[in-house]
Structures are given as C-alpha cells and as structure tokens.
Amino acid sequence: MHFITSRRTVRAAAVALAATIPCVTLADSAQAATQAQAQTAPSAPQSVRVHDGHLVDLPVRGGTATVDAATLRVTARTGKGEIELSAATAPGRPGKVTTTADGARWTYPGTGLTVTARSEQGRLVVSVKSTGATDRTLNWPVTGTDRGVSALQLPRGEGLSLPVADAFWNSDRAQLVNSDLDMSSALTMPLWGHSLDGRGGVSYIVPTDIGTSLRSTSDHGRLRTTATHRFSRGEGTTDYIVAFALTDGSPVAPAVDYRAWLGQHGQLGSLRAKIDAVPATKKLLGAFHAYTWGDARTAEGVKKLRALGVDRMWLGYDADDTPMDAAAVAAAKKAGYLVGPYDSFANGQDPKASDAPTSVWPDKVYPDFCVQGADGKPVPGFHDRGCYLSSEAFEKAEPTRHYLADRTRKMTANGADSYFLDVDAAGELFRDHSDAHPMDQARDRANRLARMKRLSGKDRLVLGSESAGAWSNQVLAFDHGSATPVADGLWKAQKDKEKWGGYTPAKAPGIFFKPAELPADVAKAMYDPAYRVPLFETALHDSLVNTERWELSYDKLPQQKTTRALLAMLYNTPLNFVLDGKSIQQRGSELAALQKYFKPLHEAAGTQAMTDFRTLNADRTVQRTVFGDGTLTVTANFGSKAHDGLPGGCVDAKLRGDKKPRRLCPADINR
C-alpha cells in the first residue's frame, strides 16, 4: 500500500495431455476473435427444446445443457455422461416457459425477476433481470456440487487451482472458506471454474461482476462455490448474466474461455497495438520494475544501475518532497529505462493538514469532490485520511477546470514518459450519493476507464495501475499487483511493524526494504506452486505486462525468492524491486544477472499469448509453459529433486532456434 490510497488459445484442435494435467492452447491476439468463434461454435445446429413444462434444452459446445426453470438447476449431457453445472436453488414458482429465437424465457411472478436462457457461441448464457422496486439477492449458480468435481479455479491474483478435497483449503487456516469474494475487486477476472475427473470441466463467466460476489464453503470436506448477485436500481445492478461453458478440464480452461469471450466482445487489448500507439511502451519488454528511494532516484544512482549491465527497467518514485528530477529522468531514458511517478486521483485532504502531495488539490476539490455515502457524509479515505474523491465530480469539471490534466502535466514536467495511477484499475468502485455528482459503481468504472485512456492515449504515457482488473486491460500497458494471489493474512502480517517494518527511515522505509517472513499458512496460500496456475497470463499475457504487488519486492520475502523467480520466468513476467543506493551496491549484481536472463525471453514472447500450460509430474512441482507458436518454451522445477535433467530450484527456457535450453538457478546467484 502507498501512504495514502489503498493498493488494492484457443485453437480448434483438442488440447494435448500432460502427465496429470492437460495443457491448453490460446490463439494469438490478432486472431483471437476469429479462432475463438471457430472453437466455441456448436458442432451442428440444434433447436431449443422445452419439455415437461419447465425444462429447457439448449445446444452448447460439447453437449446439451438443460435449465430447470423451477429450480434453476443446470445440467449438461456430454459424450462422457451428465454433469451438474449448478445445483438447485429456490428462485420462486416459474410462469410459463416460452421459446425465443435462440432460447427460452420465463418469469417468477411476484419476484420481479425475468430469466432468459440462450445459446451463444457455444455457451449457455443465462440472463436474469429485475424489474421490481425492491432490492433483492439471488444465490446462484451453486457450483462444485457434481461428485466428479476435482478442482476449483479462482482468479485470485494470477490464479489458483485448488483440489476441492484439499484439507488445507477446506480449513480456516487458508482463510478462504466462508469468505465472500467481490467479483469486481477481489478477483482479477470475473470468472471461476471446475475440473472434473475424466469428464472435462466447466467455466463460469459473469460479465455483470458489479454487485456479484463468490462465496466458498466446505461441504463434508469438499469446496463448494455459490455466486450471489444483488439486484438494486440505485446501484445499477438490475441485470445479472452468467455464461456457462464446457471445457477440457485444464486448470487454465476458464481463462481460455474468458480470453475467447473478450475477443468475441471486442474487449481484448493488444500490447503490440499499445507499442504502435506509444513507442516508448516497447521499453517494457525485458524490463524489471522498481520503485526508487534515496540515492537511487538520482542521475548518479541510475548510472550505477546501468553500469551493472541492467539495460531495461521501469523506475518509479513516490510523489514526496524528493521526486526524480529532470537530470535523473534524462539519465534513466539514456539508459533505456522507462521512468514515471506514482500518483493517485482517489484521495483528497485539507491542504493545510495533508500528509501527501497527491492528496492536495486546488480550489475546493476537497471537500466538494468527496464521495458521499448514503448517510450524506464523505466516505473516509484510506486509513481514514481525508476522503475518497468522486470520479464523476472530476469528469464533470475536467472540460473547463482541467484538474487532472494539470496534475499530470505537473507530475511529468521532469520528462517522465510513464505514469503509475494507484487504485484506478483495482476495482475499488464507489456509489456517490451526492446531489452534485451522483454516480453508481458502473459509472465510476466508466469514468476511470475514460481518464486512464486519456493518459495512455492523448498524453501518450506508458500507463500502469494497481492490481488491475481484467476490465482495464485495453487501457493499461502494465500493472503492479495482479500477479499476487493475496491471502487475507498478508494484511495482518503487514500491520506488525516490528517484524514487517514501518515507514522509517524516510529514504528507505522498512515496510518496503526490511526482509520479512510470511506466516506459514499465508506463504502456503500465496506461493505454494502446487496450487498456482497462470489464469491471468493465459487470458491477458499479450495485452499488458503483469507483476506482483510493489510493496512485496523480490528482496522483501527471502524464503520465497527462488519460487518467485521461477514463477516469473515460467509466466514470462517481470520481477518487482525497491531500490536505494545501498541496495544497488549490495544486491544490484543479482538484479542484473536475473534481468540479463529474463530480457531476451520477454523481448521475444512479451507480446505473444501464453498458448500452453501443463504440469509434468504428479505433485505439480514441475511445470511448463509455451508462448506463441513455440516462440518460447519454459520449464520450471519447483521441487528439490531433478526432473528429466532439470535440477530442483532451476528453470530452463528455450527460444525457437536455440540448440539447447538457457538455464537459471536463482539460488546460485550471489551466494
């Protein structure tokens, strides 16, 4: 967290099988819409069938789905038997089911709910609309209930695939069971999925993520999931859509489906296109990321880093009283680096008492632009400092007052060519009850997208934000945080300033620089490779560059360094650092060695889709990825024993044309 605001392939051919987990292939982004359409189309035209008064059969890719209007139970008949996609719930007594051009429609009299079920590009799409004046909730779909379900996929951070009978994840220690995950903020993509033993899998996409949450429970030692949508006119959440798809059961299959969905709906970004639009974006390829402090913010500090052989970096700095000056920015650009400030448009404080420059605004932005709660009071800002500022208030004022444009111009007057905008893409959305600038969460999201698009478009800045939700993939070039599957215990650990570090000394705050040890259960939930899968990269690797949370620098967690380095190379994503003069001197050579290994891999594959992910042994400690049409193949051994000649704790990467793999054993660097 920063000082003020929170930091919160498809080819049509069948995928190949690995030892225990099938791989998956993705289409290149330029062909995503076309190939996704081909894969998701039903194999043969079939008609909708309504029978027994309340059962609706619809064709889907891989079989036939049946929706029971009486209970909203959803099943599918496939070549391998029947699958329960959702258990029954109690929506009310349905009215007459009528057929439509592509599906069926019915209502639940007395509830104000109307349901349509249709086939769309190989999926079953169920839409529920509320016309009632009273807010209500619907707990549906209820998933993971089929006895053949073996794993649950969740896009928490980069992604997890959890064996549903795993004792740890069914226990309180994992802090997942009985928690409600907001699909617009706690998950990086609005989806989840299941793998079934020998019968494929299921993907669930919720385009209407605002107002929807996902709750995991433990039923006789097995994980179950239930989505809950709150219908509210005031919140603008009267529509609820769930898209069901049958998959091959790969642990990344839900992300494959989501990537196809994005392509089909014109919502899939392209890093190549972003480079064409803003050529400086190309400097992200091969670059590690670092926030700078003290002497690392000076021209001399930048030159020392470059002298170590580091020829690509993204360097950021806080908007405090010692930002990078023009000389330091010029040195960074000469070195081949991107450089940019941290900023936030989300917080406002009384200028006379503000504790951060980013919270000081001209005129009466504070308090006039404060988000107003239902009680009429300003919504307190992060750590109860000041208030959260309304994106609607800014958008209304911007054409004449230029508050945001003036702020950006001031922040980049030193020549910075990049920008990190905290919070905007993280999904922490607000309803503003102010009469002067009312908005719901969807409007808040639209406003954020608009202003981020101005930064990356009109201002031609290489834009990043915090823990980016997939909805922002078209406007961002990079993010800090979506690679980290945060467990709630992390926040508790960070509050222990004695062990974790605080905000002193000013030039190297302990909270960022002091090495720390995660509690064992938190470390297991976040970094055990047996549970990690690249959902985010499968969907969006060639759209934006993804890293871990910036306060979890590579050196912050010594016990996880090898695992994190292997994950970064396996997923073809940069490592994140914090740097001051001392750390450049003491550990700069380690950074340089890692960056030297990473650079050619990322330059070759950073703009290509992740087209294959598989595990190569039973305990999932050996994993492999492929990018593009074989452009890059990476194999990582997270275990302690050698596998097929690859030592434990090491990674082999092979670019097309390489005669032998390039090996990295992170623990051997700077021993």
Side-chain angles (χ1 to χ4, degrees), residues 167-228:
F168 172 72
W169 287 100
N170 279 274
S171 73
D172 293 338
R173 294 164 51 206
Q175 296 184 306
L176 173 67
V177 169
N178 297 324
S179 65
D180 294 297
L181 300 174
D182 189 318
M183 296 200 72
S184 67
S185 58
L187 300 178
T188 53
M189 298 179 287
L191 62 86
W192 73 101
H194 292 292
S195 300
L196 292 94
D197 289 328
R199 287 187 292 146
V202 191
S203 162
Y204 305 86
I205 299 173
V206 182
T208 52
D209 56 331
I210 296 174
T212 308
S213 61
L214 188 67
R215 185 176 183 85
S216 296
T217 56
S218 180
D219 181 7
H220 295 88
R222 291 173 59 85
L223 293 174
R224 300 285 187 262
T225 46
T226 301
T228 297

Side-chain angles (χ1 to χ4, degrees), residues 100-337:
T100 63
D102 57 355
R105 177 182 180 275
W106 64 92
T107 64
Y108 294 104
T111 69
L113 297 181
T114 299
V115 179
T116 60
R118 69 186 189 278
S119 297
E120 182 183 291
Q121 295 179 309
R123 301 180 187 89
L124 165 67
V125 179
V126 179
S127 303
V128 186
K129 184 177 184 64
S130 175
T131 58
T134 305
D135 291 358
R136 63 183 301 116
T137 60
L138 177 64
N139 299 318
W140 179 86
V142 181
T143 74
T145 53
D146 190 286
R147 295 183 63 181
V149 168
S150 58
L152 163 67
Q153 288 88 39
L154 285 176
R156 191 157 78 171
E158 178 58 65
L160 301 170
S161 184
L162 312 176
V164 295
D166 187 279
F168 172 72
W169 287 100
N170 279 274
S171 73
D172 293 338
R173 294 164 51 206
Q175 296 184 306
L176 173 67
V177 169
N178 297 324
S179 65
D180 294 297
L181 300 174
D182 189 318
M183 296 200 72
S184 67
S185 58
L187 300 178
T188 53
M189 298 179 287
L191 62 86
W192 73 101
H194 292 292
S195 300
L196 292 94
D197 289 328
R199 287 187 292 146
V202 191
S203 162
Y204 305 86
I205 299 173
V206 182
T208 52
D209 56 331
I210 296 174
T212 308
S213 61
L214 188 67
R215 185 176 183 85
S216 296
T217 56
S218 180
D219 181 7
H220 295 88
R222 291 173 59 85
L223 293 174
R224 300 285 187 262
T225 46
T226 301
T228 297
H229 184 80
R230 181 170 180 260
F231 296 95
S232 170
R233 284 190 175 183
E235 298 288 348
T237 57
T238 56
D239 290 290
Y240 179 39
I241 301 172
V242 182
F244 303 73
L246 301 177
T247 73
D248 59 26
S250 158
V252 294
V256 174
D257 185 41
Y258 184 57
R259 177 182 174 84
W261 174 279
L262 290 173
Q264 292 156 2
H265 291 80
Q267 298 171 11
L268 183 62
S270 164
L271 190 56
R272 284 196 188 107
K274 293 167 189 175
I275 291 172
D276 289 343
V278 182
T281 306
K282 190 173 183 179
K283 291 193 284 186
L284 284 172
L285 300 179
F288 282 172
H289 295 230
Y291 274 90
T292 57
W293 301 79
D295 293 342
R297 290 186 182 177
T298 66
E300 199 59 37
V302 171
K303 291 174 183 177
K304 288 180 179 179
L305 190 61
R306 182 64 185 88
L308 290 169
V310 180
D311 60 356
R312 280 289 183 271
M313 286 293 294
W314 180 92
L315 297 180
Y317 53 90
D318 267 327
D320 53 23
D321 56 353
T322 58
M324 280 186 134
D325 59 21
V329 170
K333 287 183 171 181
K334 185 177 180 180
Y337 303 168

